[in-house]
Amino acid sequence: CIPSSGEMVPDIKGFSRTNVLYMRAFAEAWPDLEIVQQLAAQLPWFHNALLLDRIKDAATREWYARKAIENGWSRAILEVQIETGAHKRQGKAITYFEQTLPAPQSDIAQQVLKDPYTFDFLTLHDDAVERDLERGLLAHLKDFMIELGIGFAFVGSQVHMEVGGQDFYIDLLFYHLQLRCYVVIDLKMGEFQPEYAGKMNFYLSAVDGQRRHPDDAPSIGMLLCKSHNRLVVEYALKDMTKPLGVAQYQIAESLPERLEGALPTVDQLEAELAKEMSKPKSAKKSKSTTPKEKKHESSRSGKLR
């Protein structure tokens, strides 16, 4: 502990000037001993140094400290969350949970969702479709689930549901361990449209009817769209009978035009892989022989004779 008066403590040695300054800033930032024990003391020193460097507001610093402990964020993830303003996005999705879920389930569900979600680990072409977005998120599933937040357990993608003899497929299905319910995610590449809410209402009815355990809470839905008009969303959700929310997502900028077409698409890569796997083993092992190699083989052959 560094005395506030700045007097020296002769028995304590080996601290650099930077560390001394950080320790003094730490003491000033966390004057409440109880908060220190509950939060700051549970975080590694470099997490605390990052919080001191990047966040000057005490309440915001405390919010990130709590979330870092709850979610087990590494220093790098904590830095990303600070850069993307996670404290401003948490609980901001447009929902009607209060009208469709009992308390306190509705409050917890509201805090689970964000708006917008930041998928800065993902880059897509301008002409990408929902399937490309889904594949990209699955390819970066760890990063995706970190952005979703604590409690989400991945169930599957393109989850098949049969209703009335017809086949339906859910983009992404999760189970939330704290809420004790299924979370249905539908991905949209464009702006929110009112008809999306009706389809999600149907999906939630199907999941509740076919997958929900008697001890589970009602399933909730989340429509992830590239953009939305808040008033349109509010009108679309107003008379829905199922708990669902709408949020936007942000991804990294599209590839430069000069690179578009130069890189293979996911479909092309899968086609090439399938072609390679279908080749006979003998064809895979055979190699073309250069004139130089042929000459070398002839020479060896002559010596053997």
Side-chain angles (χ1 to χ4, degrees):
C1 179
I2 303 300
S4 58
S5 62
E7 63 183 89
M8 299 301 294
V9 182
D11 294 334
I12 300 179
K13 300 178 181 179
F15 296 124
S16 67
R17 182 176 183 277
T18 301
N19 267 332
V20 170
L21 292 175
Y22 268 129
M23 286 186 280
R24 182 160 188 164
F26 179 91
E28 293 173 349
W30 305 102
D32 189 332
L33 182 59
E34 184 178 349
I35 294 294
V36 171
Q37 293 173 340
Q38 291 179 352
L39 299 177
Q42 297 185 48
L43 290 171
W45 174 245
F46 288 108
H47 281 59
N48 279 300
L50 178 64
L51 291 173
L52 293 173
D53 278 340
R54 303 292 295 275
I55 304 172
K56 304 308 177 186
D57 176 66
T60 305
R61 189 187 309 115
E62 183 177 332
W63 187 91
Y64 279 102
R66 291 188 185 281
K67 292 300 178 182
I69 294 169
E70 291 173 8
N71 294 278
W73 288 342
S74 67
R75 186 179 186 277
I77 293 174
L78 174 60
E79 187 169 15
V80 169
Q81 296 296 332
I82 293 172
E83 288 177 351
T84 58
H87 68 292
K88 298 177 181 177
R89 301 184 286 120
Q90 197 76 47
K92 300 302 181 182
I94 308 171
T95 74
Y96 266 69
F97 290 161
E98 188 176 349
Q99 289 80 3
T100 54
L101 289 174
Q105 182 88 353
S106 57
D107 295 331
I108 299 173
Q110 180 66 51
Q111 288 305 310
V112 163
L113 303 190
K114 303 175 183 176
D115 189 23
Y117 285 85
T118 301
F119 303 144
D120 53 1
F121 51 81
L122 191 60
T123 302
L124 296 174
H125 290 284
D126 291 336
D127 57 352
V129 296
E130 278 87 0
R131 190 73 174 119
D132 297 317
L133 175 59
E134 180 186 328
R135 287 171 175 169
L137 293 175
L138 293 175
H140 299 84
L141 187 58
K142 180 181 178 182
D143 295 317
F144 179 36
M145 294 188 71
I146 288 173
E147 177 62 8
L148 285 178
I150 191 171
F152 282 88
F154 179 63
V155 177
S157 64
Q158 293 300 306
V159 177
H160 176 248
M161 303 287 292
E162 183 179 342
V163 179
Q166 298 183 48
D167 296 320
F168 300 91
Y169 296 88
I170 295 172
D171 286 346
L172 298 168
L173 184 63
F174 289 85
Y175 188 88
H176 199 278
L177 302 177
Q178 183 182 8
L179 293 171
R180 297 291 176 184
C181 71
Y182 284 102
V183 180
V184 178
I185 297 180
D186 202 15
L187 304 171
K188 300 298 179 185
M189 287 299 295
E191 186 177 13
F192 171 82
Q193 300 299 324
E195 56 265 30
Y196 298 162
K199 189 174 183 181
M200 175 60 80
N201 202 70
F202 167 79
Y203 282 157
L204 292 174
S205 294
V207 171
D208 280 344
Q210 298 183 17
R211 285 179 171 265
R212 179 185 171 191
H213 188 273
D215 294 333
D216 288 340
S219 302
I220 65 176
M222 178 164 60
L223 281 158
L224 275 177
C225 304
K226 183 65 177 174
S227 62
H228 63 57
N229 179 298
R230 189 174 189 88
L231 186 59
V232 172
V233 173
E234 289 177 351
Y235 270 65
L237 301 188
K238 191 172 183 179
D239 294 319
M240 287 291 132
T241 59
K242 297 291 183 180
L244 60 101
V246 177
Q248 302 170 103
Y249 63 85
Q250 299 170 345
I251 60 176
E253 293 183 3
S254 301
L255 291 172
E257 290 184 7
R258 59 187 177 83
L259 290 181
E260 290 189 5
L263 299 176
T265 64
V266 173
D267 290 335
Q268 290 171 334
L269 288 172
E270 289 180 345
E272 287 299 320
L273 180 61
K275 190 188 300 182
E276 181 66 23
M277 295 298 292
S278 64
K279 287 182 180 179
K281 291 184 178 180
S282 58
K284 292 180 182 179
K285 291 181 179 179
S286 64
K287 297 179 180 179
S288 58
T289 308
T290 63
K292 185 176 180 180
E293 290 171 332
K294 285 182 179 178
K295 183 178 179 181
H296 181 66
E297 288 177 2
S298 298
S299 173
R300 289 183 60 195
S301 165
K303 288 179 181 178
L304 288 171
R305 290 196 193 105

